[in-house]
Amino acid sequence: NDPTAASLCPGDSGGPLYRESSTELLTTGINAYYTFEDGNGVSQTNWHTRVDGSSRYSVLSWLRSLGVTVKNAPGEPITLQAEDYLPGGQNVGYSDTDVANTGGLYRPSERVDIQATTDTGGGYNVGWTAANEWLKYTFSLNAAGTYKPELRVATTTANQRIRLEVDAQSTVITLPNTGGWQTFTTVAAPNMALAAGVHNVRVFFETGGANFN
């Protein structure tokens, strides 16, 4: 019953509100039937709840509880899993200096070394990294803005270095000694101004000696 939490929109209550992109329909709101009295004593109805950054009350958790897949929601982080580098093999999706997956898990026929992780959320991490190895990824943004890249890493030696490349932007991150190969910490890179659309990422291990999640 809070008019500032929504924007006036005609349409059937309960239905999704769409914005068309170049390839798909993107849900930008959910029609919700509100009744309230404005400051002039006039009854107002049929407002919709926004799902973008202008909403006061997020409906994303409610959508997820209904089984809706929410991708790239404004204001929410985009997570790239280390083990989900691009397909294509050696010198395309990755470059790895040895010929076998030392950990033997997840993508056992490829050269990137992958093991199970005890980091938050479980799953896998890339390990046994060596100098000059790299991994490539892509991601898509619905809106231009300034974004803060972060890496989840573990190492037993201080001053290991990872170079993060996003399109033409590049920055080197120096890692702390986290105290163990499964003792992960989050390290931040400087903010990056990024346009809407698809972006290319390369994680380049300048020194190796770090696990990447």
Side-chain angles (χ1 to χ4, degrees):
N1 295 328
D2 182 355
T4 62
S7 297
L8 186 62
C9 179
D12 295 331
S13 182
L17 306 170
Y18 291 115
R19 172 173 62 82
E20 188 171 0
S21 74
S22 59
T23 58
E24 60 184 341
L25 291 177
L26 304 174
T27 303
T28 59
I30 303 295
N31 262 354
Y33 190 84
Y34 291 92
T35 300
F36 63 94
E37 189 173 284
D38 67 15
N40 298 318
V42 178
S43 179
Q44 303 283 354
T45 60
N46 199 28
W47 295 65
H48 81 267
T49 301
R50 301 171 63 100
V51 296
D52 63 15
S54 298
S55 64
R56 176 175 292 186
Y57 303 114
S58 173
V59 297
L60 299 179
S61 59
W62 171 66
L63 290 172
R64 291 190 178 98
S65 74
L66 297 176
V68 177
T69 299
V70 180
K71 299 188 299 181
N72 195 11
E76 288 206 336
I78 297 172
T79 301
L80 301 177
Q81 296 293 341
E83 66 273 16
D84 290 330
Y85 52 84
L86 293 178
Q90 177 76 355
N91 297 323
V92 178
Y94 65 85
S95 178
D96 200 277
T97 56
D98 57 7
V99 297
N101 176 344
T102 302
L105 297 181
Y106 193 66
R107 299 167 80 161
S109 64
E110 298 186 327
R111 297 167 65 159
V112 177
D113 306 310
I114 299 174
Q115 64 183 160
T117 183
T118 59
D119 193 14
T120 303
Y124 304 95
N125 68 261
V126 171
W128 295 279
T129 57
N132 300 318
E133 293 184 337
W134 51 260
L135 304 161
K136 283 187 176 181
Y137 308 86
T138 62
F139 67 93
S140 179
L141 293 175
N142 288 336
T146 300
Y147 293 85
K148 179 182 180 181
E150 295 179 334
L151 302 180
R152 193 76 175 155
V153 297
T155 180
T156 60
T157 305
N159 299 319
Q160 307 288 52
R161 299 188 309 278
I162 294 176
R163 185 167 75 241
L164 176 65
E165 302 169 357
V166 182
D167 302 328
Q169 301 183 64
S170 176
T171 185
V172 175
I173 305 168
T174 300
L175 311 183
N177 182 343
T178 67
W181 292 113
Q182 289 297 318
T183 305
F184 283 87
T185 192
T186 300
V187 293
N191 289 350
M192 292 185 175
L194 299 173
V198 176
H199 297 272
N200 298 301
V201 177
R202 187 170 76 150
V203 176
F204 186 95
F205 299 94
E206 290 198 343
T207 59
N211 283 359
F212 176 46
N213 194 19

